[in-house]
Amino acid sequence: MTKLPRVPRVPKPLKPQTQKAHQGLPDDQTLLDALAAAREVDIGDLARQFGLKGDERRALRQRLKTLSESGKLHKSGRKTFGAVGALPDTGVCDVVERDIDGELWVKWGKADSASPLARLAPLKKAAAQTPPGMGDRIYARFENTADGWVAHLIKVLDQGAPKIVGVVRKGRREIRLESVNRKEKTAWNLTGQNLDTLEDGDVVVAAPVGGVHRYGPKPARVLEVIGKEDSPKIASVMAIHSHGLPLGFQSSTEDEAKSAQPPTLGKRTDLRDLPFVTIDPVDAKDHDDAVFAHADDTESNPGGWVVWVAIADVAAYVTPGSSLDRDAREKGNSTYFPDRVEPMLPHVLSSGLCSLQEGENRATLAVRMVFNAAGKKLSHKFVRGLMRSAAKLSYEQAQAAIDGMPDDTTGPILDALLKPLWAAHACLTKGRNIRQPLHINSPERRVKLDAEGNVVSIEQRVSLDAMQLIEEMMIQANVSAAEELEKHKTPLIYRVHETPSLEKIGNLADFLATLGIPWNKGEPPRTDRFNALLDGQKDGPNNEIINEVVLRTQMQAHYSPENYGHFGLNLDHYAHFTSPIRRYADLIVHRGLIRALKLGDDGLTDYEIKTLGDTAEHITATERRSMQAEREAIERYIAAFLHDKIGAAFTGRIVGVTRFGLFVKLTDTGADGIVPVSSLGNDYFVHDDVQHALIGERTGQRWRLGATVEVELSEAMPITGGLVFKMLSEPEAADPNAPRARLGVRARGSGFPPRGPGSKGAPKKAGFRDKTSGAKHGVKNVKKKKKR
């Protein structure tokens, strides 16, 4: 915990008055009247006011202590007291409550003291100020307002130990907390006040209680109750709180959003005559991009196309230093769950004024791009304009129209708008094929819920040409933004994806060798090499696992003020520009363009340029936080969906091999679960990390990465999202040409006693090499010394 430097307390002085003549020790009411108007009074000042000395001072101290213990006043320091209901000028307090509007409330003094709660005021404009959360300890300045006490954050002292999200389990003598994190091994007992209000099955956020606890469950105190374990939508709530996603918005942020006005033309370029269309997922609420394309009619570019991409001008509403900006930066991005969205911006903007709704005037930052017949971009130009969407379409709706099944919406615009878009996409696809971005095919699953939040199905998302059309046009707009900012020497945040490391390439080559597929480790990694591998196995039995392994071979994309290129897209200049409603990175790029092109006074500030590195690091972290939360929520929903299917058999593929078991991904749902090594048969298994297999020490039989298997569902845990399978398939027969597995990283099966060095029944002399560390181990034959 961060400690503040010791600062002498300066009590609030009483009203100026001369020292009174000795009157004797005042009674209780006289003391309370004297303290009524003061927030803090030092005992010495009070004694001088009444002319007390010696034993009477000591009696005064005892009298004040008695009044404090009875709750008639509060002790604010070692020698200071104050009236009940008053708070000191500054003090250390704890964040103890979050109200229905998302506002945080703090408490000064002990948890059971009578001091009033104070509402935490909106943070200062300095974007670097750390926002506190539930259970955090802060140093604040207190102010008594007409609406009650308000705490102004000075500094976050201690953000505390990681919060525990768990389910309450009430026993006869104690209340246990079962963590929703399946990696959490610590047992917890709940302690503190108001435990009698808890019910079995409550889902709570708790914090560890400090101190040394050597034995048994560790104590934890409840911070807030967030739901019930049997609530259908609790999966997302657990994920939100487990990863500390910021919930809601400050009242000042909501006020700014509500005060926003519809855009007017002013100095903007009028783009309302261009028939833009939005094409999004069928359930999309925020529409931040629209497209329009037509053939280039200039003689110098035969067969060329002009593509317009219009993006919501979020920068016009979310200005640097505003409360909207602070909350957007803290969130970093929107987070999407099967049952809800935790948006980066309030709904009045994200689904309202910033959303490019059909038939509504909307502010936009648009780019006009010209491509030649081969799909190469020849030029681009950015404008800040006013546009009006001609149609709102879903991917499926637009695709059906192109496939000959138009509806009432797409029929009238098919020839004039949709067919030119598809023709432009065909042109851009030529350039994409020359560029050779990675051809990884990673199927996505969509969890469908009913109105109550129960899972009704888990479906694989179908890839449509309409999706690829929007994706490629957005990529080209992103490239144009990065190039434009570089041209004007304006700093920006790049979206970078670095070349795979040598270690990852080596692991890929080792795995491919187990399938008989050659891969030269010494040749530099290039996207066309990966694509040749992926395309060559497209119709083969190992297509899925090779896609999976190639994906794991890639580095993780991130944000950076330095340009390292984008390996996956095979691009030298790339930034995120097209989704400012849901990504803060795009908002920064928008502000950079406004500054570089002198499109307004709300562009990137000098302070933002100075802190681009911190911002890039922060939004990379928030993106990964959201990805983990989204993944965990989906895992819990799938576990809930499969909970009543325990005992059923499923087809899957081994996607992970470890010394303690196999990870299997089910074909139908994409669910991941573990097959414990104890269920793999009567043998001891060696984890061979070169062959990516568990190999039987006695039989040589193996479980290989990528193998298709049949499994039985043994356990489904909706609280943690964990699945446990029992293997039904038989292992692959031993490879007669492969060396017999040596004792290495050993995974114990069932039915055989251990045979490792030093174990009961082991050979007297044995040696083995650990295939993970490469260290050689053995057992020495040591003779006992004779006693002298």
Side-chain angles (χ1 to χ4, degrees):
M1 181 185 298
T2 307
K3 292 185 177 180
L4 289 173
R6 190 173 184 83
V7 179
R9 183 182 294 276
V10 182
K12 184 173 182 178
L14 297 173
K15 295 179 180 180
Q17 55 185 325
T18 58
Q19 180 172 329
K20 293 185 178 181
H22 179 265
Q23 300 178 6
L25 186 67
D27 59 24
D28 289 355
Q29 189 58 49
T30 303
L31 283 174
L32 293 174
D33 291 342
L35 291 169
R39 289 165 67 174
E40 281 186 301
V41 178
D42 185 91
I43 294 177
D45 292 337
L46 200 59
R48 282 189 291 274
Q49 179 183 343
F50 290 101
L52 305 179
K53 296 181 181 180
D55 290 341
E56 290 180 331
R57 276 201 176 204
R58 287 188 285 275
L60 174 65
R61 185 180 296 110
Q62 183 59 42
R63 178 73 59 82
L64 292 171
K65 181 180 178 182
T66 301
L67 289 172
S68 173
E69 290 174 348
S70 66
K72 294 181 179 180
L73 54 81
H74 73 264
K75 187 176 182 181
S76 54
R78 194 168 66 89
K79 294 184 179 181
T80 56
F81 291 84
V84 172
L87 295 176
D89 290 324
T90 61
V92 175
C93 50
D94 296 309
V95 181
V96 296
E97 190 175 307
R98 180 189 284 112
D99 64 22
I100 194 170
D101 297 320
E103 300 277 6
L104 295 177
W105 293 75
V106 302
K107 187 174 183 63
W108 173 84
K110 295 182 179 179
D112 56 353
S113 71
S115 62
L117 294 180
R119 179 176 57 84
L120 187 64
L123 301 187
K124 296 178 180 178
K125 286 193 174 183
Q129 195 171 28
T130 304
M134 285 291 298
D136 292 350
R137 177 158 291 182
I138 67 172
Y139 185 56
R141 175 176 61 83
F142 296 104
E143 178 186 6
N144 194 5
T145 70
D147 296 326
W149 287 96
V150 175
H152 299 273
L153 178 67
I154 296 175
K155 185 178 182 181
V156 176
L157 301 178
D158 183 13
Q159 293 197 292
K163 307 299 187 295
I164 311 155
V165 178
V167 181
V168 173
R169 302 299 185 203
K170 300 191 80 168
R172 284 187 175 182
R173 298 182 180 178
E174 59 189 8
I175 302 178
R176 290 288 183 96
L177 184 66
E178 179 186 336
S179 174
V180 303
N181 181 0
R182 59 177 177 263
K183 297 179 181 178
E184 174 69 65
K185 304 301 180 185
T186 306
W188 300 96
N189 264 352
L190 292 178
T191 62
Q193 298 179 322
N194 302 321
L195 293 183
D196 55 337
T197 63
L198 294 177
E199 298 181 0
D200 195 76
D202 280 347
V203 181
V204 303
V205 179
V209 174
V212 178
H213 312 281
R214 298 183 182 277
Y215 307 105
K218 302 291 190 293
R221 59 188 176 92
V222 174
L223 297 177
E224 58 181 323
V225 179
I226 59 175
K228 290 280 190 181
E229 69 170 321
D230 56 358
S231 171
K233 298 181 180 181
I234 195 64
S236 299
V237 178
M238 289 177 180
I240 288 170
H241 287 276
S242 294
H243 292 279
L245 292 177
L247 281 171
F249 300 91
Q250 298 185 69
S251 58
S252 56
T253 301
E254 295 279 11
D255 291 342
E256 288 182 4
K258 290 174 183 176
S259 66
Q261 298 297 316
T264 56
L265 184 60
K267 296 181 180 180
R268 295 179 177 274
T269 302
D270 195 344
L271 303 176
R272 287 175 290 182
D273 290 337
L274 298 181
F276 286 100
V277 295
T278 60
I279 306 177
D280 292 292
V282 66
D283 54 355
K285 299 294 189 296
D286 51 349
H287 307 280
D288 46 14
D289 60 83
V291 292
F292 167 63
H294 63 85
D296 190 359
D297 55 6
T298 59
E299 295 182 359
S300 59
N301 187 26
W305 285 87
V306 175
V307 175
W308 281 87
V309 173
I311 305 300
D313 189 359
V314 175
Y317 298 97
V318 184
T319 55
S322 64
S323 185
L324 275 165
D325 186 47
R326 289 194 301 270
D327 274 6
R329 186 185 187 277
E330 180 191 356
K331 290 172 178 280
N333 48 265
S334 297
T335 309
Y336 295 85
F337 299 102
D339 65 314
R340 73 190 69 198
V341 176
E342 188 55 43
M344 187 180 80
L345 301 176
H347 286 289
V348 68
L349 292 181
S350 61
S351 301
L353 286 177
C354 289
S355 183
L356 305 183
Q357 296 173 347
E358 181 180 353
E360 299 290 341
N361 288 347
R362 288 293 181 259
T364 182
L365 190 57
V367 58
R368 178 184 186 271
M369 300 173 288
V370 181
F371 297 86
N372 66 13
K376 180 181 179 181
K377 183 162 67 71
L378 302 178
S379 64
H380 64 256
K381 180 182 179 181
F382 285 88
V383 296
R384 203 173 191 186
L386 189 70
M387 57 86 67
R388 184 186 296 130
S389 173
K392 169 194 166 185
L393 306 178
S394 68
Y395 289 127
E396 294 79 6
Q397 192 178 16
Q399 188 67 54
I402 290 295
D403 293 341
M405 295 174 287
D407 58 21
D408 293 341
T409 301
T410 56
I413 62 172
L414 178 59
D415 293 329
L417 300 184
L418 296 183
K419 288 185 177 180
L421 278 172
W422 255 256
H425 176 235
C427 174
L428 269 60
T429 301
K430 296 177 183 176
R432 180 185 179 92
N433 292 339
I434 295 171
R435 193 176 81 240
Q436 284 279 311
L438 281 177
H439 294 171
I440 293 176
N441 178 25
S442 183
E444 294 183 27
R445 269 26 182 223
R446 180 187 176 195
V447 177
K448 294 193 68 173
L449 308 177
D450 61 18
E452 286 72 37
N454 298 298
V455 182
V456 293
S457 65
I458 299 168
E459 303 171 351
Q460 181 173 325
R461 293 184 185 270
V462 178
S463 180
L464 302 173
D465 289 343
M467 298 174 182
Q468 296 168 15
L469 179 152
I470 295 298
E471 178 186 9
E472 187 60 27
M473 290 183 179
M474 297 306 113
I475 288 173
Q476 293 299 329
N478 288 337
V479 171
S480 300
E483 291 175 346
E484 188 71 14
L485 289 172
E486 289 178 344
K487 172 184 172 183
H488 289 271
K489 296 182 170 50
T490 301
L492 70 146
I493 291 179
Y494 292 92
R495 180 64 168 181
V496 297
H497 182 224
E498 289 142 311
T499 303
S501 65
L502 293 177
E503 180 183 4
K504 286 177 174 283
I505 292 297
N507 291 337
L508 172 66
D510 291 340
F511 167 69
L512 293 176
T514 67
L515 303 178
I517 301 173
W519 184 273
N520 186 352
K521 297 181 184 181
E523 190 176 345
R526 299 188 313 273
T527 56
D528 61 335
R529 287 189 67 205
F530 283 114
N531 289 340
L533 168 65
L534 295 167
D535 295 343
Q537 300 293 321
K538 193 171 185 179
D539 299 321
N542 298 309
N543 172 47
E544 288 185 20
I545 192 61
I546 289 178
N547 264 276
E548 182 85 19
V549 173
V550 169
L551 180 61
R552 294 180 192 176
T553 302
Q554 307 307 309
M555 307 297 283
Q556 197 165 5
H558 61 97
Y559 294 106
S560 171
E562 304 296 330
N563 185 18
Y564 303 109
H566 198 293
F567 178 80
L569 295 174
N570 201 14
L571 292 167
D572 295 328
H573 314 276
Y574 194 66
H576 275 165
F577 160 74
T578 56
S579 297
I581 291 178
R582 61 184 179 90
R583 290 190 304 229
Y584 195 78
D586 303 55
L587 179 57
I588 291 292
V589 169
H590 276 232
R591 289 176 181 165
L593 290 167
I594 293 168
R595 175 182 177 127
L597 301 176
K598 297 179 173 54
L599 298 175
D601 56 5
D602 48 358
L604 201 63
T605 64
D606 292 340
Y607 177 79
E608 287 178 299
I609 291 175
K610 182 180 177 181
T611 57
L612 277 183
D614 293 337
T615 300
E617 183 178 345
H618 170 71
I619 59 179
T620 296
T622 61
E623 177 189 50
R624 294 180 181 178
R625 175 182 67 186
S626 293
M627 291 170 62
Q628 291 172 350
E630 291 166 350
R631 182 171 61 249
E632 287 183 11
I634 290 175
E635 288 173 350
R636 291 188 177 101
Y637 274 115
I638 291 177
F641 178 67
L642 295 175
H643 189 256
D644 61 353
K645 298 174 178 59
I646 292 175
F650 299 91
T651 300
R653 187 179 295 274
I654 297 175
V655 295
V657 179
T658 69
R659 63 182 178 82
F660 50 83
L662 305 171
F663 286 96
V664 174
K665 176 176 285 190
L666 302 186
T667 303
D668 291 340
T669 62
D672 287 300
I674 188 169
V675 179
V677 70
S678 59
S679 67
L680 292 181
N682 297 329
D683 203 344
Y684 266 75
F685 291 91
V686 178
H687 176 216
D688 191 321
D689 58 350
V690 175
Q691 298 188 56
H692 297 274
L694 285 179
I695 303 176
E697 182 183 296
R698 180 176 59 86
T699 63
Q701 294 178 330
R702 64 187 60 211
W703 300 99
R704 176 180 55 80
L705 182 69
T708 300
V709 292
E710 293 289 323
V711 293
E712 178 185 303
L713 180 61
S714 301
E715 294 181 62
M717 296 160 278
I719 294 300
T720 64
L723 299 175
V724 179
F725 300 122
K726 177 183 177 182
M727 183 62 71
L728 299 179
S729 298
E730 295 296 324
E732 294 181 1
D735 184 351
N737 299 319
R740 181 57 58 89
R742 301 165 69 185
L743 293 176
V745 181
R746 309 178 67 235
R748 183 175 180 177
S750 60
F752 279 84
R755 294 178 58 205
S759 302
K760 184 178 179 180
K764 290 184 179 180
K765 293 184 180 181
F768 68 97
R769 186 177 297 278
D770 189 319
K771 287 185 179 248
T772 298
S773 65
K776 190 172 183 180
H777 308 276
V779 177
K780 293 182 179 179
N781 188 14
V782 182
K783 294 182 179 180
K784 295 182 179 179
K785 292 184 178 180
K786 292 182 180 180
K787 294 182 179 179
R788 291 184 178 180

